[in-house]
Amino acid sequence: MTVHPSLQTYADAWTHSIEAISELVQPLVEGEWNRATPCPGWSVRDIVSHVIGLECEMLGDPRPIHSLPRDLYHVRSDFARYMEMQVDVRRHHTAPEMTAELEYVMIRRARMLRNENRSPDTLVRAPLGAQQSLEVAYRMRAFDVWVHEQDLRTALNKPGNLDSPGAYVVRDNLLTVLPKVVAKDAGAPPNTAVVFDVSGPVEFLRTVRVDAEGRGTVDGAPSLGPAVTLATDWETYVRLACGRVRPAAVADRVKIEGDEELAHAILAHFAVTP
């Protein structure tokens, strides 16, 4: 148990997902590490490298000194370049090297969690030299490892854990950005409401309301006359929001009622992870 209960939820979710990742990759033979995943440009090995790398950064380890190749088509921003460094430096590591490093970093991070006594608002290192609160860092690690666990499950055809503790961290995180997606990015008109009806292992109904000034808020109360209702299942919602699939590819899994033009504008801006 950590000192601060607000961190415990994220610590538990992180632990559940990273242990699941370890179980998924432990038995893989060398060739399976090269399987493509839904994460653009990344193989199974790349995703595990990314997870290892970011956990090393949480531990305060120095970043690798490494020059990226120029032909990585999926690296299009400074943020992507920053993330790719920990991935590319491990691209030639063998399966035993990968599993050994993952196990070692898990042991070190578990010890760190057990001994955590910092306040949730303590500032810690964030990507690109920025800073973030410890609570945000914990939340983002729980988010990241659950999403990547799902990437690995898709690549390895081993579905599961869609309703594990990390799933609820991901749900809550994705809901916080819905008002921006609807009101700002998709340009929903003032005084309108958009309903998201999600079924499956993580089930919820949320309404984004755009006020007279064009500002969006989200709540759990149904709307009597929404401009749009978007209904889908939890897995499709996550894949869309995390940029793992384009709206056209899952059109049969998203039911639209109301203003189709606005619905398609929302779906066009639905991917919110970098």
Side-chain angles (χ1 to χ4, degrees), residues 197-208:
D197 185 358
V198 177
S199 59
V202 176
E203 191 175 58
F204 58 92
L205 183 115
R206 293 291 186 276
T207 303
V208 175

Side-chain angles (χ1 to χ4, degrees), residues 227-244:
V228 175
T229 298
L230 287 163
T232 189
D233 62 277
W234 167 236
E235 187 176 6
T236 302
Y237 186 96
V238 168
R239 292 173 70 204
L240 284 167
C242 295
R244 298 313 194 247

Side-chain angles (χ1 to χ4, degrees), residues 18 20-26 28 32-33 37 39 42-56 86-87 90 93-95 97-103 105-106 141 144-145 148-149 151-152 156:
I18 204 157
I21 287 174
S22 179
E23 285 176 24
L24 282 168
V25 301
Q26 205 74 43
L28 298 184
E32 290 175 301
W33 285 83
T37 72
C39 200
W42 280 3
S43 65
V44 167
R45 176 186 280 98
D46 295 341
I47 280 185
V48 178
S49 296
H50 166 73
V51 169
I52 291 170
L54 288 192
E55 299 309 335
C56 286
Q86 296 277 16
V87 172
R90 293 174 174 83
H93 287 198
T94 63
E97 286 172 329
M98 293 298 298
T99 53
E101 190 180 11
L102 178 61
E103 288 302 310
V105 83
M106 284 170 63
R141 294 311 308 130
D144 196 54
V145 291
H148 289 314
E149 178 199 338
D151 287 333
L152 294 172
L156 301 169

Side-chain angles (χ1 to χ4, degrees), residues 23-170:
E23 285 176 24
L24 282 168
V25 301
Q26 205 74 43
L28 298 184
V29 299
E30 200 68 53
E32 290 175 301
W33 285 83
N34 299 321
R35 281 197 193 176
T37 72
C39 200
W42 280 3
S43 65
V44 167
R45 176 186 280 98
D46 295 341
I47 280 185
V48 178
S49 296
H50 166 73
V51 169
I52 291 170
L54 288 192
E55 299 309 335
C56 286
E57 294 189 22
M58 285 291 285
L59 287 157
D61 293 356
R63 279 173 57 76
I65 297 168
H66 179 71
S67 296
L68 286 180
R70 294 178 179 273
D71 59 350
L72 298 174
Y73 73 92
H74 58 282
V75 179
R76 297 177 183 165
S77 66
D78 288 343
F79 185 83
R81 199 167 290 111
Y82 181 96
M83 290 300 175
E84 197 71 22
M85 201 71 81
Q86 296 277 16
V87 172
D88 195 66
V89 79
R90 293 174 174 83
R91 281 218 160 97
H92 300 295
H93 287 198
T94 63
E97 286 172 329
M98 293 298 298
T99 53
E101 190 180 11
L102 178 61
E103 288 302 310
Y104 182 51
V105 83
M106 284 170 63
I107 290 167
R108 292 175 66 207
R109 282 279 282 125
R111 186 186 304 132
M112 185 185 197
L113 292 176
R114 279 197 306 275
N115 299 328
E116 185 60 81
N117 58 9
R118 292 172 291 178
S119 164
D121 54 11
T122 303
L123 291 179
V124 296
R125 180 170 75 176
L128 292 174
Q131 286 189 312
Q132 60 190 357
S133 73
L134 188 64
E135 186 167 355
V136 168
Y138 269 53
R139 186 171 74 234
M140 293 317 296
R141 294 311 308 130
F143 180 99
D144 196 54
V145 291
W146 185 85
V147 171
H148 289 314
E149 178 199 338
Q150 293 303 318
D151 287 333
L152 294 172
R153 288 186 177 283
T154 301
L156 301 169
N157 196 26
K158 291 190 175 174
N161 282 354
L162 278 167
D163 59 351
S164 65
Y168 292 91
V169 174
V170 169

